[in-house]
Amino acid sequence: MTVTHHPTEATLAAFAAGTLDEGRMLVVAAHLAACPECRRTVRMLEATGGVLLDDLPPVDVGSDALARAMAEIDGGGRDAGLSARPGRGGEVIPGLSPAHQTLLASYEMGPWRWVGPGVSWRQIETPTLPGGRVFLLKAAGGTALPDHTHTGTELTCVLTGAFRHEHGRYGPGDVDEADDEVDHTPIVEPGGECICLVAMQGRLKLNGLLGKVLQPFVRL
Ligand SMILES: [Zn+2]
């Protein structure tokens, strides 16, 4: 897995300090599982922050589920020697790395739901963020994802496959951090489907005719 797009330093620092909400923690964790460089940065930030934060009460850093999954991934040396832990009901999502499989295995997930031609999504239930906008997005090769803008930030980590937009190619482990200024149209690379883990703040607004038709049915 060659990772080229990383979270911003501010996001890594917030992860290390435990101040991200659980959805964004999960997306950053998915990146860390694939990126030794950012793991080093986070360890360094945790060590530095630890000195400053020693006297403060501990912060709730998301649910136990995430902490347990991260410990398990650490123990298995990330992908090397880690056997994927299947999700609830023995589910394994095809194409995911063992580390990503293990990370998601701790979470209750809804069924895949149709969003548009070639595109579906499923809700991830994050215990500390009930009803949060954290989901898997799956799109067939060659699909243009619905043109959209949003009122908050959107943090995406590719789990399998790849998409491209004006800022380049995003493959497994790559993170796309978008704010409310961005109006992008990602296109999935032909040849295989792409599954992304997405944490969204604010409201999603789908543009264009398809958006107008779908908006009432897509409660993101
Ligand atoms: Zn990284």
Side-chain angles (χ1 to χ4, degrees), residues 114-120 143-148 185-186 204-218:
W114 187 87
V115 188
V119 188
S120 50
T143 312
L145 293 172
D147 185 18
H148 65 281
T185 313
L204 175 75
K205 187 176 178 309
L206 296 168
N207 303 327
L209 181 62
L210 183 63
K212 285 200 179 69
V213 174
L214 291 175
Q215 191 76 58
F217 303 103
V218 185

Side-chain angles (χ1 to χ4, degrees), residues 3 5-7 12 31-32 34-39 173:
V3 179
H5 300 277
H6 307 267
L12 289 178
H31 175 76
L32 294 178
C35 181
E37 193 183 323
C38 287
R39 285 206 297 278

Side-chain angles (χ1 to χ4, degrees), residues 7 24 36 43 49 78 82 87 126 133 143 147 192 199-200 205:
R24 290 191 295 159
R43 265 198 295 272
R78 308 289 158 168
L82 177 76
T126 41
R133 298 184 180 91
T143 312
D147 185 18
M200 194 177 278
K205 187 176 178 309

Side-chain angles (χ1 to χ4, degrees), residues 137-175:
L137 188 67
K138 180 167 73 173
T143 312
L145 293 172
D147 185 18
H148 65 281
T149 49
H150 27 80
T151 57
T153 61
E154 183 186 79
L155 195 59
T156 301
C157 182
V158 179
L159 302 183
T160 179
F163 65 79
R164 285 174 186 276
H165 60 55
E166 41 278 45
H167 295 302
R169 178 186 188 270
Y170 293 75
D174 279 328
V175 159

Side-chain angles (χ1 to χ4, degrees), residues 7 100 103 130 210:
H100 286 155
L103 195 60
L210 183 63

